[in-house]
Amino acid sequence: MSFPVATIDASALRNNLAVVRRMAPRSRVIAVVKANGYGHGMIRVARALADADGLGVARLADGVALREAGVTQRILLLEGVFGPEQFALAAKEQCEIVVHSPEQLDVLEQFSGSHRFVVWLKLNSGMNRLGFRVEDFAAAHARLQRCSSVSLIRVMTHFSSSEERGDAGRADVTAAQLKLFNDLVAPFGHERSAANSAAVIAWPEAHQDWVRPGLMLYGMSPMPNKTAADFGLRPAMTLSTQLIAVQNIGVGEPVGYNGIWRATRPSRIGIAAIGYGDGFPRSTRNGAPVLVAGQEASIAGRVSMDMIAIDITDLPHAKAGDEVVVWGAGLPAERLAPYADTTCYELVCRVTSRVPLVWRE
C-alpha cells in the first residue's frame, strides 16, 4: 500500500447518521456531502448514507455527478443555480434548489420547461452570506407562490454561531436568528430547516422539519472543547502513513527547514511520509500530536512538502515501517486543528488527490 492513505470507515458514517436521528428524532435529514463529501469521496459517502432523506451539495456539478453515479435520493443544491442552462439541467436531474437572490427568482419566473421545482426559500437571518433580507422575504415568497415553475416551497436559514451555546453572549446570536426566522415564516405554514451540525447537537428547539448535518456525519465535533466521542460519533477518516527513517541527533541540533526545533536532549527523530503536498498543513506547530504505532508523540520542526519529523525519543521501540496516524481512529482531528490554526472542517477537505481513499465497509 502507498503512503499516506486515507481510510474511510463506511460503518462510522452510518453510525453518525444514526446519532443525528437519535438527536433529532422528529426531523428529516439532509446529509451534506459537499466539498467531495468533506474530502471523504462524495459518491461513496452518498452510497453509505443511502438512508438519509436527502443529500445536500453546494453546486450543480456535484448533483450531476451523483445522478451519473446512479444516486436516486433527493438532492438539494445549497447555492442554487444560475442562468437558464443551469435551471434546465437542474430540472433534468430532478434536483431541488435553494433560491436566495432576486436574480434567481428572475430566471425561475422565465423558465419555460414543464418541470416544477421544489424550492427552498432562504432567509438571511444574520449570517449575511446568502438569503433574502427580512424586508425582502415576503415579496420573494409571494413571487414564488405565483410562479408556475414551482411545485412546493420550503423555507430555510443558516446559523452563524450555533456552536457557541455555552457562551451566553454568543448564544444570544443564534437565539435571535431562530426567533427572527420562526416569527417571519410562521404565517406561511411551510416546512422549515435551520439546524446545521452544531444546532443538531446544541439547539434542539431549532431541529424543526429538516436538519442539515455536515461535519458530525464524518465523525468530528463542531463544538468547542468537545470531541466527537462525547456525542457517540466515530471518525470516518483515518489519515495515516508510516515512518520511513529514524535519525539520532545530539543536544542543540536542529530539525527541518530553518531549524525551528532544536533538541534539548539526545533525541530520536522519526521521519514520516506525509506533508503539505498531501494536505497536512504547513502551518502546523511544534508539539502537534500524532500516533506512532499507537502511542502519542509530537511534531518536531517545520512540515515539508512530503515529510514531517516526529520526536520519538520517548518511544524507544519505534522504528521505520511503523504506522503513523495523524488524525482519525485514536486521535481526533479536533486535537490537531488548533496546532494548525484551523478547524477540522478544513483538515479533511484539504487532503489532496494524491492521497488514495481506501474504503472499509
Side-chain angles (χ1 to χ4, degrees):
M1 181 183 295
S2 63
F3 289 95
V5 62
T7 303
I8 311 299
D9 183 351
S11 69
L13 290 164
R14 291 189 285 269
N15 169 80
N16 300 337
L17 175 59
V19 171
V20 172
R21 291 206 183 278
R22 288 197 296 272
M23 289 183 171
R26 293 180 295 278
S27 303
R28 285 182 283 177
V29 179
I30 295 289
V32 179
V33 299
K34 63 182 181 178
N36 192 29
Y38 284 52
H40 292 62
M42 178 181 67
I43 291 170
R44 295 290 295 269
V45 168
R47 290 171 178 162
L49 297 176
D51 288 339
D53 301 292
L55 302 170
V57 297
R59 297 165 185 166
L60 178 59
D62 289 340
V64 172
L66 288 168
R67 290 289 186 242
E68 289 178 346
V71 173
T72 59
Q73 285 163 281
R74 170 187 286 107
I75 294 174
L76 175 60
L77 305 180
L78 295 167
E79 292 180 1
V81 286
F82 307 90
E85 294 84 4
Q86 286 203 351
F87 271 90
L89 185 54
K92 175 177 178 292
E93 302 297 349
Q94 299 288 308
C95 293
E96 301 182 8
I97 58 174
V98 171
V99 169
H100 55 76
S101 73
E103 293 79 12
Q104 291 174 322
L105 271 176
D106 293 342
V107 180
L108 181 59
E109 288 171 331
Q110 297 165 17
F111 182 75
S112 59
S114 59
H115 181 75
R116 301 181 71 206
F117 290 94
V118 175
V119 171
W120 299 60
L121 180 62
K122 188 163 191 174
L123 171 70
N124 173 10
S125 60
M127 180 79 166
N128 290 323
R129 192 174 63 178
L130 297 178
F132 289 92
R133 294 182 65 83
V134 170
E135 59 268 25
D136 301 321
F137 191 81
H141 176 263
R143 288 176 66 182
L144 279 180
Q145 283 193 308
R146 294 192 298 268
C147 185
S148 61
S149 297
V150 175
S151 64
L152 180 68
I153 301 171
R154 297 189 176 109
V155 290
M156 66 185 296
T157 194
H158 192 70
F159 296 131
S160 63
S161 308
S162 52
E163 73 279 7
E164 296 178 334
R165 180 141 205 176
D167 183 325
R170 297 298 297 170
D172 289 347
V173 173
T174 301
Q177 282 190 265
L178 182 59
K179 184 179 188 306
L180 177 65
F181 177 60
N182 286 337
D183 289 350
L184 188 61
V185 305
F188 302 137
H190 300 309
E191 292 180 353
R192 309 177 195 184
S193 178
N196 55 4
S197 288
V200 168
I201 293 169
W203 293 86
E205 61 269 49
H207 290 172
Q208 302 185 321
D209 300 288
W210 295 83
V211 294
R212 308 190 307 273
L215 188 73
M216 67 184 299
L217 291 173
Y218 303 95
M220 291 169 284
S221 170
M223 308 303 294
N225 305 313
K226 294 285 188 178
T227 67
D230 293 325
F231 307 110
L233 302 168
R234 292 164 41 200
M237 177 192 289
T238 296
L239 183 61
S240 62
T241 184
Q242 66 178 17
L243 293 183
I244 59 173
V246 175
Q247 298 288 341
N248 294 294
I249 66 173
V251 175
E253 289 193 60
V255 170
Y257 287 116
N258 307 120
I260 64 171
W261 187 95
R262 287 181 179 270
T264 59
R265 58 179 175 167
S267 300
R268 299 178 73 233
I269 301 298
I271 306 302
I274 192 169
Y276 61 79
D278 305 297
F280 191 91
R282 186 179 182 274
S283 59
T284 304
R285 295 189 294 275
N286 291 327
V290 296
L291 295 181
V292 178
Q295 295 183 278
E296 191 163 313
S298 58
I299 298 290
R302 182 157 285 150
V303 174
S304 301
M305 184 180 291
D306 311 295
M307 288 171 278
I308 57 173
I310 305 167
D311 183 359
I312 56 171
T313 309
D314 294 328
L315 306 180
H317 301 294
K319 62 188 184 304
D322 281 350
E323 181 186 53
V324 176
V325 172
V326 298
W327 68 68
L331 186 67
E334 299 95 308
R335 288 276 312 277
L336 175 66
Y339 287 91
D341 296 318
T342 187
T343 67
C344 45
Y345 293 84
E346 185 179 7
L347 289 179
V348 292
C349 287
R350 71 187 297 169
V351 175
T352 64
S353 59
R354 78 173 183 173
V355 178
L357 300 179
V358 176
W359 279 74
R360 186 176 73 221
E361 292 293 337

